Amino acid sequence: MDAQRREAIAEWDDRSFSDGFAGLGRIVDDGFSGAATDGTGWIFLVDGRVVGVVDATLDAFADASGTVYRAPDEALPVLFAMQELDGEPRAKYYTKDTPLREADQKLSQGGFTGYIELSENVLSGDYYVAYTGGESMAAAYVGNARRLETGDDAFDLAADEVGIYTVYEVDLDVRPLPDGDDAGVSSAAVGPTDTAGSDGAADADEEPTDEPADGGGDVEPEADGDDGGPTSAVDLDASAGPDDGAAAAGRSDESAGVNAKSAADDRDEVDPSEGVGASGDAAGADGPTPDEVRIGDAESAERDTDGSAVTGRARRSSTESDGASAPGAETGEPGDANAADAPDSEDVFSEEAEWREQKSIPALDPSEAGREPRSTEERREAASQRSRSGDDRGRAERSGSNANGGSPSPRSTETASAPSAVSKRDGRDARGDADPDRVRKLEAALEETETERQSLADERDRLAAERDEVESERDELADEVERLESEAEDLREERDRLRRELSNAKERLPDAERTLTPAEARNGTNLFIRYDSKEGATLADAHEGSADREALRENLRVEHHTSFETDGLAVDGRPFAEFLEDTIEYGFTRWLVEDLPFEVRGTGNEGTLRDLYDALPEIDRAEIGGTVSIELREGGEEVREQRSFDLVLRDRMGHPLFVADLNDSRDPTPEGTLESLVENGRDIAASNETFAGAFAVTESFFEPGALETASDAVGGGLFSRSKRASFVKLSRKQGYHLCLVEARDGGFHMTVPDL
């Protein structure tokens, strides 16, 4: 197992066990989460169930004795088990492009099993989110001390970080811990929990066991790897048994899982963060899979927020309420969805026709307000009557007159054969009798119309509010345009002023044949430590205490070597030599060789700064903008990298002695600069035995966070009087001194360690 994880487990509460599975069972029967080892292999457990076995088989613990470690949070054994199982990396994301919260939401909705690791390009720590069947558990190791955070606090820290995270899909093998009697068959009886998708349904004649049946319990079927979307899920809280009444549901889920896997084989690989949960093609003939049910509900919930899915939801509610009459409703077997919620087809068409007549536009002629929409037969009859001769119509009118006891008006004659508008509104037929069914239908239509009217009124109010908001935004944009136009005018005036100043400055420039920018001049320059005479005072003499400061300064020279010709060269409006001697790189190098040896020796710190003090006489040259080669191990192989620094000081053989990050601006040195310097220093010290110190130099000051980072790196207070001052320890004999220097009043002063 990974050494860092072994180290983390060693800090958990521990106790010994013996008697194999029986002894372990007595410890974990209280919902234990943690790890157990027999000295060689490891078992990871969550809520008393095995989620992973490392460096051994489960049978190896049948009669074993060893140590049990209780985890401070159940996220850790799940995460460690997944990491040891070498899950498949599905995709990488940058948090600025795909926020962690967005990916977390999609993975949770999709019933994902695996974990997210956020550690690449992150300086503050390592962050993890583990998923089992969509349920998430977060853990984080923060800072150089790797402070453990779990739960919501860990997730919030991860969500606020900027970096690159990787999504790993893991196939967990979740199983109950065998008891003493099951020791011989633990591995054979309990297989991977995702076999439902490949093995099919269990034999109906098999004897029930204490372990979950394939496809019906802890693990849902997983789509083929080409699918690209993490779909497997583990329910760590579920417990399956022969008496839990889920056999039929298990077989249904198992069948759906086979269909899901078959359909997933034909799908192109998709991004896990976008494809999670979208498994509409995976539905088999027997109905949707559990994943599809969960995802469908989630999508319906999202659409309900803007009202767009109300109709579909109502239709589903109607289907569920009529489910008692659907085939298979009492037995639990899947039936025909159309047959379950559809009435007799003839009734459907008649009700539809009546609904459309109720929704028809009212007649504009008041005389027709009371008429019912006529049936096809009535319309044919009316056409036949219109084709009759005038005499026939006359006879019909006279018949109507005699029936009503008088000579009706043309209008009354026209409407006499139809019930009045009032009688229709009262739900009565031509005979005046109440029609309860029609009354109910009309009341339902009225209620639906009122609901629609209210919806339209709400929509009108919403659009009015949006209109007001757009008008307000338009006014704000108009004000912004005026402000920007005013700023543009100011910038044009500033541009003209700068052009005049530049023209004047060019007139004052020295007569130079060529010019370079400050950055170009620095990058092509190296400094060398040389002496006027080898018989005079040297750094070695100063180290031994046989030369004073003035004697060393008279004999020591800081020479420069450039990759370009310096004759007739101007940098930043000054001759090159004048520019170079005024740089922070040149000043710091002179202070390091001419003043620091005497400050260390004069304060009696030769012992506490032994590694740094002994390396000073070895300085031969300083590279401005130099790089240092380091060795790292990645995937069991050694690789070399180059790390860049503002200044690298080397011995005559080119080995790095010191590195320095320099800040010559007015801005304070931030915490991130110290974090980077500390980590780079660790890597250099691990690869180069000659490396003695890392310097952070500022012409401003150090932020409190930077000072705290330095304190954490050296393992105590900044002013500690330990055996070695401000020493970053890698091992008992290996490390380097971390020094903070301030440049002020034309000189340099070491503030950490305090000499």
Side-chain angles (χ1 to χ4, degrees):
M1 188 170 68
D2 179 77
Q4 192 173 58
R5 285 189 278 278
R6 192 190 302 268
E7 227 176 85
I9 294 174
E11 297 179 359
W12 300 352
D13 294 340
D14 63 276
R15 59 178 293 186
S16 60
F17 77 92
S18 59
D19 198 19
F21 290 142
L24 280 174
R26 288 191 292 271
I27 296 175
V28 306
D29 63 359
D30 62 343
F32 172 89
S33 294
T37 179
D38 62 351
T40 302
W42 291 82
I43 302 177
F44 291 104
L45 304 106
V46 173
D47 198 17
R49 303 172 65 193
V50 179
V51 296
V53 182
V54 179
D55 297 336
T57 63
L58 191 57
D59 285 339
F61 288 80
D63 300 310
S65 60
T67 307
V68 174
Y69 299 88
R70 183 178 293 271
D73 190 279
E74 67 177 18
L76 298 178
V78 173
L79 175 62
F80 287 4
M82 289 181 174
Q83 290 177 315
E84 289 295 331
L85 289 174
D86 292 331
E88 180 181 359
R90 303 310 299 258
K92 282 189 176 183
Y93 301 98
Y94 180 43
T95 55
K96 290 291 188 181
D97 297 334
T98 305
L100 186 63
R101 294 185 189 276
E102 178 182 321
D104 172 71
Q105 181 181 9
K106 291 186 177 181
L107 293 174
S108 296
Q109 291 176 354
F112 177 64
T113 295
Y115 67 97
I116 290 175
E117 178 178 350
L118 172 58
S119 60
E120 189 172 345
N121 290 356
V122 179
L123 297 178
S124 63
D126 299 330
Y127 302 88
Y128 305 91
V129 185
Y131 299 86
T132 56
E135 295 293 329
S136 64
M137 298 172 283
Y141 290 95
V142 183
N144 295 325
R146 294 183 63 79
R147 183 183 78 256
L148 175 64
E149 296 285 351
T150 59
D152 292 341
D153 292 339
F155 184 82
D156 291 341
L157 289 172
D160 293 339
E161 275 297 332
V162 176
I164 297 174
Y165 61 91
T166 305
V167 180
Y168 294 88
E169 184 178 12
V170 181
D171 183 13
L172 277 185
D173 185 3
V174 182
R175 63 184 79 177
L177 181 71
D179 55 26
D181 297 333
D182 296 337
V185 295
S186 60
S187 294
V190 182
T193 58
D194 60 347
T195 56
S198 58
D199 294 344
D203 192 340
D205 296 332
E206 290 182 359
E207 291 296 327
T209 68
D210 291 337
E211 302 167 3
D214 288 350
D218 301 321
V219 179
E220 299 177 2
E222 177 179 90
D224 191 272
D226 293 336
D227 183 32
T231 57
S232 62
V234 179
D235 182 3
L236 294 179
D237 295 328
S239 58
D243 300 326
D244 62 2
R251 289 190 296 273
S252 178
D253 289 347
E254 181 179 33
S255 176
V258 175
N259 295 332
K261 180 174 180 66
S262 175
D265 289 340
D266 296 331
R267 291 201 299 271
D268 294 333
E269 184 171 353
V270 297
D271 192 317
S273 69
E274 297 179 3
V276 173
S279 56
D281 294 337
D286 294 336
T289 65
D291 279 346
E292 292 173 316
V293 174
R294 290 197 299 272
I295 298 166
D297 291 342
E299 293 174 348
S300 297
E302 292 177 0
R303 293 197 301 272
D304 290 349
T305 60
D306 60 0
S308 61
V310 173
T311 303
R313 189 166 57 253
R315 186 178 297 112
R316 288 194 298 274
S317 300
S318 174
T319 303
E320 292 169 0
S321 65
D322 296 339
S325 62
E330 296 179 358
T331 63
E333 294 294 328
D336 188 344
N338 295 330
D341 58 6
D344 183 76
S345 60
E346 188 173 306
D347 292 340
V348 170
F349 293 127
S350 62
E351 290 179 3
E352 174 70 11
E354 291 176 356
W355 179 84
R356 292 188 180 277
E357 290 178 354
Q358 294 164 7
K359 298 290 285 186
S360 62
I361 300 175
L364 297 179
D365 187 347
S367 65
E368 298 181 1
R371 295 185 179 180
E372 269 188 278
R374 294 177 294 179
S375 65
T376 302
E377 293 299 326
E378 289 174 335
R379 289 194 296 272
R380 289 176 180 170
E381 181 63 23
S384 176
Q385 289 177 357
R386 286 194 299 271
S387 67
R388 295 174 184 172
S389 65
D391 292 340
D392 292 338
R393 289 198 300 273
R395 286 193 297 273
E397 291 174 356
R398 286 192 295 275
S399 299
S401 173
N402 294 334
N404 289 280
S407 299
S409 66
R411 183 177 298 279
S412 64
T413 301
E414 181 181 358
T415 60
S417 62
S420 68
V422 175
S423 66
K424 285 302 179 183
R425 285 196 299 270
D426 291 340
R428 301 178 180 274
D429 58 15
R431 297 186 304 274
D433 297 332
D435 186 355
D437 291 338
R438 183 161 182 78
V439 169
R440 284 194 298 271
K441 293 175 182 178
L442 290 175
E443 288 175 347
L446 177 61
E447 182 178 355
E448 183 178 356
T449 302
E450 179 63 23
T451 301
E452 184 176 0
R453 184 196 66 79
Q454 184 60 44
S455 177
L456 291 174
D458 295 341
E459 180 71 8
R460 175 203 63 202
D461 296 340
R462 184 184 64 80
L463 292 175
E466 289 182 357
R467 177 203 62 202
D468 295 340
E469 183 177 353
V470 170
E471 289 177 352
S472 176
E473 184 177 359
R474 178 201 62 196
D475 296 339
E476 292 177 359
L477 290 175
D479 295 339
E480 181 71 8
V481 168
E482 292 181 3
R483 184 184 65 80
L484 292 175
E485 288 177 349
S486 177
E487 288 184 0
E489 182 62 28
D490 294 339
L491 290 173
R492 282 190 288 268
E493 294 177 0
E494 180 69 5
R495 177 201 62 193
D496 295 339
R497 184 185 65 80
L498 292 174
R499 283 177 176 174
R500 291 191 297 270
E501 291 182 0
L502 178 60
S503 178
N504 295 334
K506 287 181 177 179
E507 294 176 1
R508 297 192 301 269
L509 284 175
D511 295 333
E513 299 175 1
R514 295 174 298 108
T515 61
L516 285 179
T517 65
E520 291 172 338
R522 281 184 167 96
N523 291 337
T525 303
N526 290 324
L527 304 177
F528 290 83
I529 309 303
R530 296 293 180 262
Y531 302 98
D532 287 334
S533 171
K534 292 185 178 180
E535 302 299 324
T538 64
L539 285 172
D541 296 331
H543 179 269
E544 297 299 327
S546 59
D548 59 19
R549 191 183 310 224
E550 293 303 321
L552 179 64
R553 285 181 176 175
E554 290 178 1
N555 193 44
L556 186 144
R557 303 192 316 273
V558 178
E559 300 178 350
H560 63 265
H561 177 273
T562 63
S563 60
F564 45 81
E565 292 295 330
T566 60
D567 292 337
L569 177 65
V571 180
D572 206 16
R574 294 180 294 171
F576 172 78
E578 180 182 342
F579 160 80
L580 178 62
E581 292 177 3
D582 198 36
T583 61
I584 190 173
E585 291 87 348
Y586 184 90
F588 175 75
T589 301
R590 289 201 70 95
W591 172 82
L592 196 65
V593 296
E594 292 182 353
D595 296 308
L596 185 58
F598 301 98
E599 292 182 11
V600 173
R601 189 172 186 85
T603 56
N605 284 288
E606 305 98 314
T608 59
L609 293 173
R610 182 178 68 252
D611 295 346
L612 182 149
Y613 185 70
D614 291 344
L616 290 174
E618 304 299 323
I619 297 176
D620 179 72
R621 65 181 183 270
E623 296 177 0
I624 299 177
T627 60
V628 178
S629 178
I630 63 171
E631 293 181 0
L632 298 174
R633 296 191 65 85
E634 292 182 0
E637 297 181 359
E638 289 188 0
V639 297
R640 300 192 71 85
E641 287 186 5
Q642 298 293 325
R643 301 289 172 84
S644 300
F645 300 89
D646 296 331
L647 196 65
V648 178
L649 295 104
R650 301 180 183 275
D651 62 13
R652 294 184 62 186
M653 302 302 296
H655 301 136
L657 300 173
F658 305 100
V659 296
D661 279 337
L662 311 174
N663 176 18
D664 59 354
S665 70
R666 291 179 174 271
D667 298 327
T669 299
E671 177 181 356
T673 299
L674 264 295
E675 290 178 344
S676 177
L677 182 63
V678 169
E679 292 303 318
N680 286 332
R682 292 179 188 272
D683 294 337
I684 296 173
S687 304
N688 299 272
E689 295 181 356
T690 60
F691 183 68
F695 292 84
V697 185
T698 181
E699 289 189 353
S700 179
F701 61 93
F702 295 94
E703 289 183 348
L707 296 174
E708 184 176 352
T709 298
S711 176
D712 293 340
V714 301
L718 297 178
F719 309 108
S720 173
R721 292 291 181 180
S722 60
K723 185 177 180 181
R724 297 185 186 181
S726 190
F727 190 78
V728 180
K729 187 176 182 181
L730 301 183
S731 64
R732 188 172 64 86
K733 294 184 178 180
Q734 194 174 13
Y736 66 97
H737 291 280
L738 177 64
C739 303
L740 276 58
V741 179
E742 293 181 358
R744 60 178 184 271
D745 301 329
F748 295 83
H749 308 274
M750 184 181 293
T751 60
V752 177
D754 184 12
L755 299 180

